[in-house]
Amino acid sequence: MTHHEANDESPSIHEDRLWVDRGWTARVIKNQDDDGWAVEMILDGEPEPALVGPWTMGRDKKNPKPLDATAFSTLVKTASEVIRRHEQHLHAMLNKRLSVSTDDGVVEVSLCIVPDEDDPYATLSAHDAAGELLAELRVGPDFRFSQTTARAWIESDFRQPGR
């Protein structure tokens, strides 16, 4: 995960309903679903909140509890974890790997999808047990990656699949 440091020129703001610090903005907002309050955490430079969750009512039972340093630190930790899990999930969706046993030993076959907006593609690669690259080629981002297709690619001497 990339760690965002607060810019020296960006001032910290510590208000009851708005905290801006350490590259994050916490904003207490009216909850759309009920009479309560919610808090949103936005990482600097991101268009959407990384986290939106319920926020505690204050003592008067109508206004939100003010943000404070402890709550902000907890929110930063939680929102950072949400981003980390999202990045891990995305990485797992875009990078797949499996092992194929052959007469010459185990071959590690990988598919790495590049989700480019204009020209998405994937790279299919094969490495031997020592980690040496055996073959690599570009395939469509919708390539059906499975034990069967990987084995067929190896057995075809790494020719372009479907040809």
Side-chain angles (χ1 to χ4, degrees), residues 34-158:
D34 61 30
D35 294 336
W37 296 89
V39 64
E40 62 181 12
M41 289 296 292
I42 303 169
L43 184 61
D44 282 359
E46 292 296 323
E48 296 291 323
L51 175 73
V52 177
W55 189 245
T56 308
M57 290 282 211
R59 292 204 163 121
D60 65 6
K61 300 295 182 212
K62 65 179 183 186
N63 290 307
K65 178 180 148 192
L67 285 163
D68 61 28
T70 303
F72 184 76
S73 290
T74 301
L75 289 165
V76 166
K77 184 177 178 185
T78 303
S80 296
E81 179 65 19
V82 167
I83 288 173
R84 189 181 69 75
R85 281 197 311 263
H86 175 75
E87 288 172 347
Q88 285 177 331
H89 176 73
L90 185 60
H91 183 269
M93 296 296 293
L94 298 177
N95 298 279
K96 303 191 182 298
R97 165 177 268 149
L98 49 82
S99 299
V100 178
S101 294
T102 69
D103 293 340
D104 297 326
V106 174
V107 176
E108 292 289 329
V109 181
S110 303
L111 181 72
C112 299
I113 299 171
V114 178
D116 186 277
E117 254 182 59
D118 298 323
D119 185 25
Y121 66 93
T123 302
L124 188 61
S125 61
H127 291 82
D128 66 16
E132 293 293 318
L133 182 65
L134 299 172
E136 183 174 87
L137 57 87
R138 190 169 166 154
V139 295
D142 57 350
F143 179 78
R144 297 262 184 231
F145 188 65
S146 68
Q147 195 75 30
T148 303
T149 58
R151 180 173 300 284
W153 184 50
I154 294 166
E155 289 172 356
S156 75
D157 290 326
F158 307 107

Side-chain angles (χ1 to χ4, degrees), residues 6-15 18-25 44 72:
N7 186 326
D8 287 341
E9 290 127 38
S10 64
S12 296
I13 300 170
H14 298 144
E15 299 174 357
L18 176 68
W19 273 56
V20 179
D21 207 341
R22 301 189 323 216
W24 287 93
T25 298
D44 282 359
F72 184 76

